[in-house]
Amino acid sequence: MPSGILAAHNYYRKKVGSSPLMWSSRLASVAQDWANYLIQNGTYKHRPDLHYGENLFEVVGPPVDEKQVVDAWAAERSSYDHRRNVCSGRCGHYTQIVWRDTRRVGCGLAQKRRREVWVCNYDPPGNIVGERPY
């Protein structure tokens, strides 16, 4: 998983001039633990009191790949107006992907029957109110 999901993140970061992310095994372990918890408990929510940024993705049905997950998050860019630094809908997944100060990412995937839960954690976290992502 690391190379595919890292490449997908860095594709969008390059488009806005943000430096490439590096893979973090530590963040991947945190993300995997949370993905496992969500699958085992049949829930879907952000980890409380997390000190990292976090993107979640859930699908029930045919499996998806790393690029499809990151593309789904990045599709939120159409709701983000960089010139005014305003979101007209949902943008937080996208802005976390491209957040200029984020340096590391780690992701996990858990599956049960036809359900998949993907979790990516980011350090330092992004989405600081009032700041521009790039």
Side-chain angles (χ1 to χ4, degrees), residues 10-78:
N10 286 332
Y11 169 80
Y12 289 104
R13 292 178 66 81
K14 184 175 183 176
K15 289 176 81 118
V16 299
S18 294
S19 60
L21 294 176
M22 296 185 59
W23 185 258
S24 167
S25 296
R26 178 176 48 87
L27 290 175
S29 178
V30 171
Q32 187 64 57
D33 286 347
W34 190 242
N36 291 343
Y37 172 86
L38 295 174
I39 279 289
Q40 291 166 1
N41 291 284
T43 58
Y44 185 70
K45 62 184 180 179
H46 286 285
R47 182 188 291 253
D49 301 321
L50 184 65
H51 300 290
Y52 306 116
E54 183 174 76
N55 278 350
L56 303 177
F57 184 87
E58 177 184 45
V59 64
V60 177
V64 295
D65 65 28
E66 298 97 334
K67 184 179 180 310
Q68 290 171 303
V69 171
V70 177
D71 285 351
W73 291 330
E76 295 175 0
R77 72 186 177 279
S78 63

Coordinates of all heavy atoms in Angstrom, one line a residue, residues 10-78:
N10 N 0.9 12.6 -3.4 CA 1.9 13.5 -3.9 C 1.5 14.0 -5.3 O 2.0 15.1 -5.7 CB 3.3 12.8 -3.9 CG 3.8 12.8 -2.5 OD1 3.5 13.6 -1.7 ND2 4.7 11.8 -2.2
Y11 N 0.7 13.3 -6.1 CA 0.2 13.8 -7.3 C -0.6 15.1 -7.1 O -0.3 16.1 -7.8 CB -0.7 12.8 -8.0 CG -1.5 13.3 -9.2 CD1 -0.8 13.4 -10.4 CD2 -2.8 13.7 -9.0 CE1 -1.6 13.9 -11.5 CE2 -3.5 14.1 -10.1 CZ -2.9 14.3 -11.3 OH -3.6 14.8 -12.4
Y12 N -1.4 15.1 -6.1 CA -2.2 16.3 -5.9 C -1.4 17.4 -5.2 O -1.6 18.6 -5.4 CB -3.5 16.0 -5.0 CG -4.5 15.2 -5.8 CD1 -4.6 13.8 -5.6 CD2 -5.2 15.8 -6.8 CE1 -5.5 13.1 -6.4 CE2 -6.1 15.1 -7.6 CZ -6.3 13.7 -7.4 OH -7.2 13.0 -8.2
R13 N -0.5 17.0 -4.4 CA 0.4 18.0 -3.7 C 1.2 18.8 -4.8 O 1.4 20.0 -4.7 CB 1.3 17.4 -2.7 CG 0.5 16.9 -1.5 CD 1.3 16.2 -0.5 NE 2.3 17.1 0.2 CZ 2.0 17.9 1.2 NH1 0.8 17.9 1.7 NH2 2.9 18.7 1.7
K14 N 1.7 18.0 -5.7 CA 2.6 18.6 -6.8 C 1.8 19.7 -7.6 O 2.3 20.7 -8.0 CB 3.1 17.6 -7.7 CG 4.1 18.1 -8.7 CD 4.7 17.0 -9.6 CE 5.7 17.5 -10.6 NZ 6.4 16.5 -11.3
K15 N 0.5 19.4 -7.8 CA -0.4 20.3 -8.6 C -0.5 21.7 -8.0 O -0.7 22.6 -8.7 CB -1.8 19.7 -8.8 CG -1.8 18.5 -9.7 CD -3.2 17.9 -9.8 CE -4.0 18.7 -10.7 NZ -4.5 18.0 -11.9
V16 N -0.3 21.7 -6.6 CA -0.5 23.0 -5.9 C 0.8 23.6 -5.4 O 0.8 24.6 -4.7 CB -1.6 23.0 -4.8 CG1 -2.9 22.6 -5.4 CG2 -1.2 22.0 -3.7
G17 N 1.9 22.9 -5.7 CA 3.2 23.3 -5.2 C 3.6 22.9 -3.8 O 4.6 23.5 -3.2
S18 N 2.9 22.0 -3.2 CA 3.2 21.5 -1.8 C 4.3 20.4 -2.0 O 4.3 19.7 -2.9 CB 2.0 20.9 -1.1 OG 1.1 21.9 -0.8
S19 N 5.3 20.4 -1.0 CA 6.3 19.4 -1.1 C 5.8 18.0 -0.9 O 4.8 17.8 -0.3 CB 7.4 19.7 -0.1 OG 6.8 19.7 1.2
P20 N 6.5 17.0 -1.5 CA 6.0 15.6 -1.4 C 6.0 15.1 0.1 O 6.8 15.5 0.9 CB 7.0 14.8 -2.2 CG 7.9 15.8 -2.9 CD 7.7 17.1 -2.2
L21 N 5.0 14.3 0.4 CA 4.9 13.6 1.7 C 5.9 12.5 1.7 O 6.2 11.9 0.7 CB 3.5 13.1 1.9 CG 2.4 14.2 2.1 CD1 1.1 13.5 2.2 CD2 2.7 15.1 3.2
M22 N 6.3 12.1 2.9 CA 7.1 10.9 3.1 C 6.2 9.9 3.9 O 5.3 10.3 4.7 CB 8.3 11.2 3.9 CG 9.3 12.1 3.2 SD 10.8 12.4 4.0 CE 11.5 10.8 4.1
W23 N 6.4 8.6 3.6 CA 5.7 7.6 4.3 C 6.2 7.4 5.8 O 7.4 7.4 6.0 CB 5.8 6.2 3.6 CG 5.0 5.2 4.2 CD1 5.4 4.2 5.0 CD2 3.6 5.0 4.0 NE1 4.3 3.4 5.4 CE2 3.2 3.9 4.8 CE3 2.6 5.8 3.3 CZ2 1.8 3.5 4.8 CZ3 1.3 5.3 3.4 CH2 0.9 4.2 4.1
S24 N 5.3 7.3 6.7 CA 5.6 7.1 8.1 C 5.0 5.7 8.6 O 3.8 5.6 8.6 CB 5.0 8.2 9.0 OG 5.1 7.9 10.3
S25 N 5.9 4.8 8.9 CA 5.4 3.5 9.5 C 4.7 3.7 10.8 O 3.7 3.0 11.1 CB 6.6 2.6 9.7 OG 7.2 2.3 8.4
R26 N 5.1 4.7 11.6 CA 4.5 5.0 12.9 C 3.0 5.5 12.6 O 2.1 5.0 13.3 CB 5.2 6.1 13.6 CG 4.6 6.5 14.9 CD 5.5 7.5 15.7 NE 6.0 8.6 14.8 CZ 5.3 9.7 14.7 NH1 4.1 9.9 15.2 NH2 5.8 10.7 13.9
L27 N 2.8 6.4 11.7 CA 1.5 6.8 11.4 C 0.6 5.7 10.8 O -0.6 5.6 11.0 CB 1.5 8.0 10.4 CG 2.0 9.4 11.0 CD1 2.1 10.4 9.9 CD2 1.2 9.8 12.1
A28 N 1.3 4.9 9.9 CA 0.6 3.8 9.3 C 0.1 2.8 10.4 O -1.1 2.3 10.3 CB 1.5 3.0 8.3
S29 N 0.8 2.6 11.4 CA 0.4 1.7 12.5 C -0.8 2.3 13.3 O -1.7 1.6 13.6 CB 1.6 1.5 13.5 OG 1.2 0.7 14.6
V30 N -0.7 3.6 13.5 CA -1.8 4.3 14.2 C -3.1 4.2 13.3 O -4.2 3.9 13.8 CB -1.5 5.8 14.5 CG1 -2.7 6.6 15.0 CG2 -0.4 5.9 15.5
A31 N -2.9 4.4 12.1 CA -4.1 4.4 11.1 C -4.6 2.9 11.0 O -5.8 2.7 11.0 CB -3.6 4.8 9.7
Q32 N -3.7 1.9 11.0 CA -4.2 0.6 10.9 C -5.0 0.1 12.1 O -6.0 -0.5 12.0 CB -3.0 -0.4 10.7 CG -3.4 -1.8 10.4 CD -4.2 -2.0 9.1 OE1 -3.8 -1.6 8.0 NE2 -5.4 -2.5 9.2
D33 N -4.5 0.5 13.3 CA -5.2 0.2 14.5 C -6.6 0.8 14.5 O -7.5 0.1 15.0 CB -4.4 0.8 15.8 CG -3.2 0.0 16.1 OD1 -3.0 -1.1 15.6 OD2 -2.3 0.5 16.9
W34 N -6.7 2.0 14.0 CA -8.1 2.6 14.0 C -9.0 2.0 13.0 O -10.2 1.8 13.2 CB -8.0 4.2 13.8 CG -9.3 4.8 14.0 CD1 -10.0 5.6 13.1 CD2 -10.0 4.9 15.3 NE1 -11.1 6.0 13.7 CE2 -11.2 5.6 15.0 CE3 -9.9 4.3 16.5 CZ2 -12.2 5.9 16.0 CZ3 -10.8 4.6 17.5 CH2 -12.0 5.3 17.2
A35 N -8.4 1.7 11.8 CA -9.2 1.0 10.8 C -9.7 -0.3 11.3 O -10.9 -0.7 11.1 CB -8.3 0.8 9.5
N36 N -8.8 -1.1 12.0 CA -9.2 -2.4 12.6 C -10.4 -2.2 13.6 O -11.3 -2.9 13.6 CB -8.0 -3.0 13.3 CG -7.0 -3.5 12.3 OD1 -7.3 -3.7 11.1 ND2 -5.8 -3.8 12.8
Y37 N -10.2 -1.1 14.4 CA -11.3 -0.9 15.4 C -12.6 -0.6 14.8 O -13.7 -1.1 15.2 CB -10.8 0.3 16.3 CG -11.9 0.8 17.2 CD1 -12.1 0.2 18.5 CD2 -12.8 1.8 16.9 CE1 -13.1 0.6 19.3 CE2 -13.8 2.3 17.7 CZ -14.0 1.7 18.9 OH -15.0 2.1 19.8
L38 N -12.6 0.3 13.7 CA -13.8 0.6 13.0 C -14.5 -0.6 12.4 O -15.7 -0.7 12.5 CB -13.6 1.7 12.0 CG -13.1 3.1 12.6 CD1 -12.7 4.0 11.4 CD2 -14.2 3.7 13.5
I39 N -13.7 -1.4 11.8 CA -14.3 -2.7 11.2 C -14.8 -3.6 12.2 O -15.9 -4.1 12.1 CB -13.2 -3.4 10.3 CG1 -13.0 -2.7 9.0 CG2 -13.5 -4.9 10.2 CD1 -14.2 -2.9 8.0
Q40 N -14.1 -3.8 13.3 CA -14.5 -4.8 14.3 C -15.8 -4.3 15.0 O -16.6 -5.1 15.5 CB -13.4 -5.0 15.3 CG -12.2 -5.7 14.8 CD -11.0 -5.7 15.7 OE1 -11.0 -5.1 16.7 NE2 -9.9 -6.3 15.2
N41 N -15.9 -3.0 15.2 CA -17.1 -2.4 15.9 C -18.2 -2.0 15.0 O -19.2 -1.5 15.5 CB -16.6 -1.3 16.8 CG -15.7 -1.8 17.9 OD1 -16.3 -2.4 18.9 ND2 -14.4 -1.7 17.8
G42 N -18.0 -2.1 13.7 CA -19.1 -1.7 12.8 C -19.4 -0.2 12.8 O -20.5 0.2 12.6
T43 N -18.4 0.6 13.2 CA -18.6 2.1 13.3 C -17.8 2.8 12.2 O -16.9 2.2 11.5 CB -18.2 2.6 14.7 OG1 -16.9 2.3 14.9 CG2 -19.1 2.0 15.7
Y44 N -18.0 4.1 12.1 CA -17.3 4.9 11.2 C -17.2 6.3 11.8 O -18.2 7.1 11.7 CB -18.0 4.9 9.8 CG -17.3 5.7 8.7 CD1 -16.1 5.2 8.2 CD2 -17.8 6.8 8.2 CE1 -15.4 5.8 7.2 CE2 -17.1 7.5 7.2 CZ -16.0 7.0 6.7 OH -15.3 7.7 5.7
K45 N -16.1 6.7 12.4 CA -16.0 8.0 13.0 C -14.5 8.3 13.2 O -13.7 7.4 13.1 CB -16.7 8.0 14.4 CG -16.1 7.0 15.4 CD -16.9 7.0 16.7 CE -16.2 6.0 17.6 NZ -16.9 6.0 18.9
H46 N -14.2 9.6 13.3 CA -12.8 9.9 13.6 C -12.3 9.5 15.0 O -13.1 9.4 15.9 CB -12.6 11.4 13.4 CG -12.6 11.9 12.0 ND1 -11.6 11.7 11.1 CD2 -13.6 12.5 11.3 CE1 -11.9 12.2 9.9 NE2 -13.1 12.7 10.0
R47 N -11.0 9.2 15.1 CA -10.5 8.8 16.4 C -10.5 10.1 17.3 O -10.1 11.1 16.9 CB -9.0 8.4 16.2 CG -8.4 7.9 17.5 CD -6.9 7.7 17.3 NE -6.6 6.5 16.5 CZ -6.2 5.3 17.0 NH1 -5.9 5.2 18.2 NH2 -5.9 4.3 16.1
P48 N -11.1 9.9 18.5 CA -11.1 11.1 19.4 C -9.7 11.4 19.9 O -8.9 10.5 20.1 CB -12.0 10.6 20.5 CG -12.0 9.1 20.5 CD -11.7 8.7 19.0
D49 N -9.5 12.7 20.2 CA -8.2 13.1 20.8 C -7.0 12.7 20.0 O -5.9 12.5 20.5 CB -8.1 12.6 22.2 CG -9.2 13.1 23.1 OD1 -9.7 14.3 22.9 OD2 -9.7 12.3 23.9
L50 N -7.1 12.7 18.7 CA -6.0 12.4 17.8 C -5.1 13.6 17.6 O -5.6 14.7 17.4 CB -6.5 11.9 16.5 CG -5.4 11.4 15.5 CD1 -4.7 10.1 16.0 CD2 -6.1 11.1 14.1
H51 N -3.8 13.4 17.7 CA -2.9 14.6 17.5 C -2.4 14.7 16.1 O -1.4 15.4 15.8 CB -1.7 14.4 18.5 CG -2.1 14.4 19.9 ND1 -2.6 15.5 20.6 CD2 -2.2 13.4 20.8 CE1 -2.9 15.2 21.8 NE2 -2.7 13.9 22.0
Y52 N -3.0 13.9 15.2 CA -2.6 14.0 13.8 C -3.8 14.4 12.9 O -5.0 14.3 13.4 CB -2.2 12.6 13.3 CG -1.1 12.0 14.1 CD1 -1.3 10.8 14.9 CD2 0.2 12.6 14.2 CE1 -0.2 10.3 15.6 CE2 1.2 12.0 14.9 CZ 1.0 10.9 15.7 OH 2.0 10.4 16.4
G53 N -3.6 14.7 11.7 CA -4.7 14.9 10.8 C -5.2 13.5 10.4 O -4.5 12.5 10.5
E54 N -6.5 13.4 10.0 CA -7.0 12.1 9.6 C -8.1 12.2 8.5 O -8.9 13.1 8.6 CB -7.7 11.5 10.9 CG -8.2 10.1 10.7 CD -8.7 9.5 12.0 OE1 -9.8 9.9 12.4 OE2 -8.0 8.7 12.6
N55 N -7.9 11.4 7.5 CA -8.9 11.2 6.5 C -9.5 9.8 6.6 O -8.7 8.8 6.7 CB -8.3 11.4 5.1 CG -8.2 12.9 4.7 OD1 -8.8 13.8 5.4 ND2 -7.6 13.2 3.6
L56 N -10.8 9.6 6.4 CA -11.4 8.3 6.5 C -12.2 8.1 5.2 O -12.7 9.1 4.6 CB -12.5 8.3 7.6 CG -12.0 8.6 9.0 CD1 -13.2 8.5 9.9 CD2 -11.0 7.5 9.5
F57 N -12.2 6.9 4.8 CA -13.0 6.5 3.6 C -13.6 5.1 3.8 O -12.9 4.2 4.3 CB -12.0 6.4 2.3 CG -12.8 6.1 1.1 CD1 -13.3 7.1 0.3 CD2 -12.9 4.8 0.6 CE1 -14.0 6.8 -0.9 CE2 -13.5 4.5 -0.6 CZ -14.1 5.5 -1.3
E58 N -14.9 5.0 3.5 CA -15.6 3.7 3.7 C -16.3 3.3 2.4 O -16.9 4.2 1.7 CB -16.6 3.9 4.8 CG -17.4 2.6 5.0 CD -18.5 2.9 6.1 OE1 -19.2 3.9 6.0 OE2 -18.7 2.0 7.0
V59 N -16.3 2.0 2.1 CA -17.0 1.5 0.9 C -17.6 0.2 1.3 O -16.9 -0.6 2.0 CB -16.1 1.5 -0.3 CG1 -15.0 0.5 -0.2 CG2 -16.9 1.1 -1.6
V60 N -18.8 -0.1 0.8 CA -19.4 -1.4 0.9 C -19.7 -1.8 -0.5 O -20.4 -1.1 -1.2 CB -20.7 -1.3 1.8 CG1 -21.4 -2.7 1.8 CG2 -20.4 -0.8 3.2
G61 N -19.1 -2.9 -0.9 CA -19.3 -3.4 -2.3 C -17.9 -3.9 -2.8 O -17.1 -4.3 -2.0
P62 N -17.7 -3.7 -4.1 CA -16.5 -4.1 -4.7 C -15.3 -3.3 -4.1 O -15.4 -2.1 -3.7 CB -16.6 -3.7 -6.2 CG -18.0 -3.5 -6.4 CD -18.7 -3.1 -5.1
P63 N -14.2 -4.0 -3.9 CA -13.0 -3.3 -3.3 C -12.5 -2.1 -4.2 O -12.8 -2.1 -5.4 CB -11.9 -4.3 -3.2 CG -12.4 -5.5 -3.9 CD -13.9 -5.3 -4.2
V64 N -11.9 -1.2 -3.6 CA -11.3 0.0 -4.3 C -9.8 0.0 -4.1 O -9.3 -0.8 -3.2 CB -11.9 1.3 -3.8 CG1 -13.4 1.4 -4.1 CG2 -11.7 1.5 -2.3
D65 N -9.1 0.8 -4.9 CA -7.6 0.8 -4.7 C -7.2 2.2 -4.2 O -8.0 3.1 -4.0 CB -6.9 0.5 -6.0 CG -7.2 1.5 -7.1 OD1 -7.4 2.7 -6.9 OD2 -7.1 1.1 -8.3
E66 N -5.9 2.3 -3.9 CA -5.4 3.5 -3.2 C -5.7 4.8 -4.0 O -6.1 5.8 -3.4 CB -3.8 3.4 -3.1 CG -3.4 2.3 -2.2 CD -2.9 1.1 -3.0 OE1 -3.4 0.9 -4.2 OE2 -2.1 0.3 -2.5
K67 N -5.6 4.7 -5.3 CA -5.8 5.9 -6.2 C -7.3 6.3 -6.1 O -7.6 7.5 -6.0 CB -5.4 5.6 -7.6 CG -5.5 6.8 -8.5 CD -5.1 6.5 -9.9 CE -5.2 7.7 -10.9 NZ -6.5 8.4 -10.9
Q68 N -8.2 5.3 -6.1 CA -9.6 5.7 -6.0 C -9.9 6.4 -4.7 O -10.7 7.3 -4.7 CB -10.4 4.4 -6.2 CG -10.4 3.8 -7.6 CD -11.1 2.5 -7.6 OE1 -10.7 1.5 -6.9 NE2 -12.1 2.3 -8.5
V69 N -9.3 5.9 -3.6 CA -9.6 6.5 -2.3 C -9.1 8.0 -2.3 O -9.8 8.9 -1.9 CB -8.9 5.7 -1.2 CG1 -9.0 6.5 0.1 CG2 -9.5 4.3 -1.1
V70 N -7.8 8.2 -2.7 CA -7.3 9.6 -2.7 C -8.0 10.4 -3.7 O -8.3 11.6 -3.4 CB -5.8 9.5 -2.9 CG1 -5.2 11.0 -3.0 CG2 -5.1 8.7 -1.8
D71 N -8.4 9.9 -4.9 CA -9.1 10.7 -5.8 C -10.5 11.1 -5.3 O -10.9 12.2 -5.5 CB -9.4 9.9 -7.1 CG -8.1 9.7 -8.0 OD1 -7.1 10.4 -7.7 OD2 -8.2 8.9 -9.0
A72 N -11.1 10.3 -4.5 CA -12.4 10.6 -3.9 C -12.2 11.8 -2.9 O -13.0 12.7 -2.9 CB -13.0 9.4 -3.2
W73 N -11.2 11.7 -2.1 CA -10.9 12.9 -1.2 C -10.6 14.1 -2.0 O -11.1 15.2 -1.7 CB -9.8 12.5 -0.2 CG -10.1 11.5 0.8 CD1 -11.3 11.2 1.4 CD2 -9.1 10.6 1.4 NE1 -11.1 10.2 2.3 CE2 -9.8 9.8 2.3 CE3 -7.8 10.4 1.2 CZ2 -9.2 8.8 3.0 CZ3 -7.1 9.4 1.9 CH2 -7.9 8.6 2.9
A74 N -9.8 14.0 -3.0 CA -9.3 15.1 -3.8 C -10.4 15.7 -4.6 O -10.3 16.9 -5.0 CB -8.1 14.7 -4.7
A75 N -11.5 15.0 -4.9 CA -12.6 15.5 -5.7 C -13.2 16.7 -4.9 O -13.9 17.6 -5.6 CB -13.6 14.5 -5.9
E76 N -13.0 16.9 -3.7 CA -13.5 18.0 -2.9 C -12.9 19.3 -3.3 O -13.3 20.4 -2.9 CB -13.3 17.8 -1.4 CG -14.1 16.6 -0.8 CD -13.8 16.4 0.6 OE1 -12.9 17.1 1.2 OE2 -14.4 15.4 1.2
R77 N -11.8 19.3 -4.1 CA -11.1 20.5 -4.5 C -12.1 21.4 -5.3 O -11.9 22.6 -5.3 CB -9.9 20.2 -5.3 CG -10.1 19.7 -6.7 CD -8.7 19.2 -7.3 NE -8.9 18.7 -8.6 CZ -9.3 17.4 -8.9 NH1 -9.5 16.6 -7.9 NH2 -9.4 17.0 -10.1
S78 N -13.1 20.8 -5.9 CA -14.0 21.7 -6.7 C -14.9 22.6 -5.8 O -15.4 23.5 -6.2 CB -14.9 20.8 -7.5 OG -15.7 19.9 -6.7

